Amino acid sequence: MKKLFLNQYIWAAKAFAIALTLSPLLSFGQAQPLSLQKAIELAQSRNRDLRIDSINIHKAKQQTAITRGLLMPNISLTGQFQHYFQKPVFFGLNGNTGSSEKIGYGRFGGEDIGTAQVSLVQPIYNSGAKHEIERRKLLEKQSQLSFRQREVDVVAQVKQNYVQLLVLNERLKLQKESIVRNQKALNDSRSLLAQGRALRVDTLRAYTSVKNLEPDVLRLTYALQISQQQLRNLLGDVSETNYVLSDSLELNANETVPAEDRTYKLSIQQRPDLQILTLNKEISDKEIELYKSARLPVVSFISQYQIQTQTNQFRFGNAAYPPVFYAGVQFAIPIFSGNQNINKIALGKIERQQADVIYNNAQEQLKTEVKQVLASLIETSERIKTQQNVSETAELSYSITKYRYEKGVASRLELIDSEFALTSAKSNYLEAVYDYLSSKIELDRITGNVKDQL
């Protein structure tokens, strides 16, 4: 019975060791080294969200070009041909006949009539077109700022994903090291149990410790695969490339937390979304001017050159082609439009007030965001120092406990507790590093920074 029990333990341990050995081989896709700088460059050139916003910039430029056409000449060539089965009728040529109230008429002219004309309309004064062009230019600038904001967000997402992959790799490595230590403890327990120098409960406890760690390895492995897929999406990669990160988790010991006032002013100056809110106020002002200009006259220079002819039986070769040419000025003065312009101006003023409130609210929210991210940087930097000290202490404690256990002074339970404390301390240190780097990434996003350093 004892032999069967030990064989089951040995078979399970071997199966798990084989799974750990083959796990790197089970990853899909071609391996490719990737630095953070390269990841950001790939995202800036291939990210699908950025490409969509880039197309929006071209659309806005095209809309501006279309609006400029309102001030350019409009030249058109038109022609017309008509065939009358009965000649055209003209009334009143012969006067009234007797006491009859019927108006006399006559038919004359050709059965086939053709006309051709060239028309020119050149706006001379159109205040609405001018304001619309200026508004379109502001909208074009808005699309460029939207692209910049999207770029800031995408770069922050790439950094966050890159750090997450680094931390997951370190956590998986840490978990495998813990399994190796617990597996060695399990093998020692089996050996001592076979020699009759240990209790069965020690072997069961060691076996339970190993099995409790296996689900975490599986969870971290799947988390790595999901993070890899998220990274491919951010980089616009449609292949199954398996990226091998070439950078490592490094902290700059000399780095200081920036001042709150300076960070807030920098955010106001650099953040594209806040610049968009400022631009919205200018757009609202231009819309009010546009609505006001609808009450002003529109003056245009017009000219037309026309050729017309009439003939019978399609004999256009023998027909006459008398020209008609004129030029002049045309104006249109709006008198009453159902109070639409007045209501549009009132609507524009309301939207302007709303833009002011939105911008002021964004400024107040920014103060809170800056305070939160700086507080997080201070807290996580202090936590890193503490966890680094705890990790070093736990590693020393494990080494001492392991030495005492090998000398028969410490118990198996003390060794297991010491190993668990070491793994927890290193895991907490990694968590503190991840939180600190995440806060730095958030600081870059808040200040509109797209640099490639962490």
Side-chain angles (χ1 to χ4, degrees):
M1 185 68 181
K2 180 185 295 185
K3 184 177 181 180
L4 178 61
F5 181 71
L6 289 175
N7 287 337
Q8 289 177 346
Y9 283 165
I10 294 172
W11 180 87
K14 288 182 178 180
F16 182 64
I18 293 174
L20 289 178
T21 304
L22 295 179
S23 59
L25 303 177
L26 296 177
S27 59
F28 53 88
Q30 182 181 2
Q32 178 179 335
L34 182 70
S35 65
L36 177 59
Q37 179 181 358
K38 182 64 176 178
I40 292 176
E41 291 175 356
L42 290 175
Q44 289 173 333
S45 61
R46 300 191 310 188
N47 182 269
R48 285 180 284 271
D49 291 332
L50 285 177
R51 290 170 61 186
I52 291 172
D53 284 354
S54 176
I55 293 174
N56 287 334
I57 293 177
H58 295 296
K59 287 174 61 178
K61 289 182 178 179
Q62 200 62 39
Q63 288 288 348
T64 304
I66 292 172
T67 310
R68 285 196 183 99
L70 297 174
L71 296 179
M72 299 179 69
N74 190 346
I75 303 174
S76 61
L77 172 64
T78 59
Q80 184 177 359
F81 168 77
Q82 294 173 329
H83 174 74
Y84 287 86
F85 295 95
Q86 292 179 319
K87 292 184 178 182
V89 175
F90 295 88
F91 287 88
L93 297 178
N94 297 329
N96 294 340
T97 57
S99 61
S100 175
E101 295 181 356
K102 293 182 178 180
I103 299 176
Y105 64 90
R107 293 177 181 271
F108 58 91
E111 297 174 350
D112 304 311
I113 300 176
T115 59
Q117 59 188 19
V118 178
S119 301
L120 168 67
V121 178
Q122 171 62 56
I124 298 176
Y125 176 78
N126 189 345
S127 179
K130 176 184 176 182
H131 293 308
E132 178 63 16
I133 292 173
E134 293 174 351
R135 190 179 76 92
R136 283 295 175 183
K137 288 181 180 178
L138 292 175
L139 291 174
E140 183 180 336
K141 185 178 179 180
Q142 186 184 59
S143 65
Q144 295 172 351
L145 290 173
S146 297
F147 175 81
R148 284 179 50 198
Q149 180 60 43
R150 178 73 69 177
E151 185 180 25
V152 170
D153 293 337
V154 168
V155 169
Q157 291 174 13
V158 170
K159 290 180 181 179
Q160 188 70 37
N161 187 269
Y162 199 94
V163 171
Q164 184 179 15
L165 279 170
L166 288 174
V167 171
L168 285 173
N169 280 320
E170 291 297 324
R171 288 181 66 90
L172 183 60
K173 179 182 176 181
L174 176 62
Q175 205 69 13
K176 289 182 178 180
E177 291 175 353
S178 179
I179 289 178
V180 170
R181 290 192 294 266
N182 282 274
Q183 186 67 46
K184 185 177 183 303
L186 175 60
N187 294 335
D188 293 342
S189 296
R190 287 173 180 160
S191 177
L192 293 175
L193 179 63
Q195 299 173 18
R197 297 169 54 191
L199 299 176
R200 182 180 177 185
V201 67
D202 294 332
T203 304
L204 290 175
R205 186 181 292 114
Y207 177 78
T208 303
S209 299
V210 172
K211 287 302 178 181
N212 284 336
L213 294 172
E214 291 180 14
D216 290 334
V217 172
L218 186 62
R219 177 179 58 83
L220 292 171
T221 301
Y222 280 120
L224 278 169
Q225 293 179 1
I226 294 173
S227 295
Q228 283 277 346
Q229 183 61 47
Q230 292 173 344
L231 181 60
R232 285 192 290 269
N233 291 337
L234 289 171
L235 303 186
D237 187 359
V238 296
S239 65
E240 295 296 331
T241 305
N242 183 30
Y243 292 107
V244 179
L245 307 187
S246 58
D247 291 350
S248 58
L249 288 172
E250 296 181 358
L251 298 178
N252 187 1
N254 299 324
E255 197 169 38
T256 59
V257 178
E260 184 175 336
D261 293 340
R262 179 176 175 275
T263 303
Y264 175 75
K265 293 178 180 178
L266 187 64
S267 300
I268 292 292
Q269 295 173 358
Q270 294 187 171
R271 278 186 62 164
D273 56 342
L274 292 177
Q275 296 176 20
I276 289 174
L277 295 180
T278 303
L279 198 61
N280 286 340
K281 297 191 288 186
E282 298 182 31
I283 293 174
S284 297
D285 292 336
K286 287 299 176 184
E287 289 177 347
I288 293 174
E289 294 177 1
L290 179 62
Y291 298 148
K292 289 180 178 179
S293 64
R295 300 182 296 186
L296 300 177
V298 176
V299 182
S300 303
F301 170 79
I302 59 173
S303 180
Q304 186 180 91
Y305 183 84
Q306 176 178 296
I307 296 176
Q308 57 185 344
T309 184
Q310 292 189 13
T311 186
N312 293 316
Q313 298 179 356
F314 303 102
R315 296 174 181 174
F316 289 102
N318 298 325
Y321 295 87
V324 177
F325 176 69
Y326 71 87
V329 177
Q330 174 182 288
F331 64 90
I333 302 176
I335 298 176
F336 181 73
S337 60
N339 291 328
Q340 292 188 24
N341 293 331
I342 296 175
N343 293 327
K344 286 180 179 179
I345 292 172
L347 175 63
K349 292 180 179 179
I350 294 173
E351 291 176 345
R352 179 64 168 83
Q353 294 175 357
Q354 185 182 40
D356 288 335
V357 175
I358 292 175
Y359 181 76
N360 294 333
N361 183 48
Q363 283 185 318
E364 294 302 320
Q365 289 181 349
L366 177 61
K367 292 179 181 178
T368 304
E369 292 177 4
V370 169
K371 189 178 292 293
Q372 286 178 342
V373 71
L374 294 181
S376 178
L377 279 173
I378 296 173
E379 184 270 332
T380 52
S381 61
E382 293 298 323
R383 184 148 52 97
I384 285 175
K385 296 177 183 178
T386 302
Q387 291 300 330
Q388 186 175 12
N389 185 29
V390 171
S391 180
E392 293 173 355
T393 304
E395 193 165 359
L396 178 61
S397 175
Y398 176 75
S399 299
I400 295 174
T401 306
K402 181 181 177 183
Y403 176 79
R404 295 177 68 244
Y405 174 76
E406 291 173 352
K407 297 300 181 180
V409 179
S411 65
R412 167 66 56 186
L413 182 59
E414 289 178 309
L415 182 63
I416 292 176
D417 290 341
S418 179
E419 196 284 329
F420 178 76
L422 174 61
T423 303
S424 299
K426 289 186 175 182
S427 179
N428 291 336
Y429 174 75
L430 282 177
E431 183 180 354
V433 171
Y434 176 76
D435 292 341
Y436 176 78
L437 293 178
S438 297
S439 298
K440 284 190 62 180
I441 294 170
E442 182 64 15
L443 178 62
D444 289 340
R445 189 192 67 80
I446 287 178
T447 56
N449 194 354
V450 293
K451 66 180 182 180
D452 54 12
Q453 291 88 7
L454 288 175

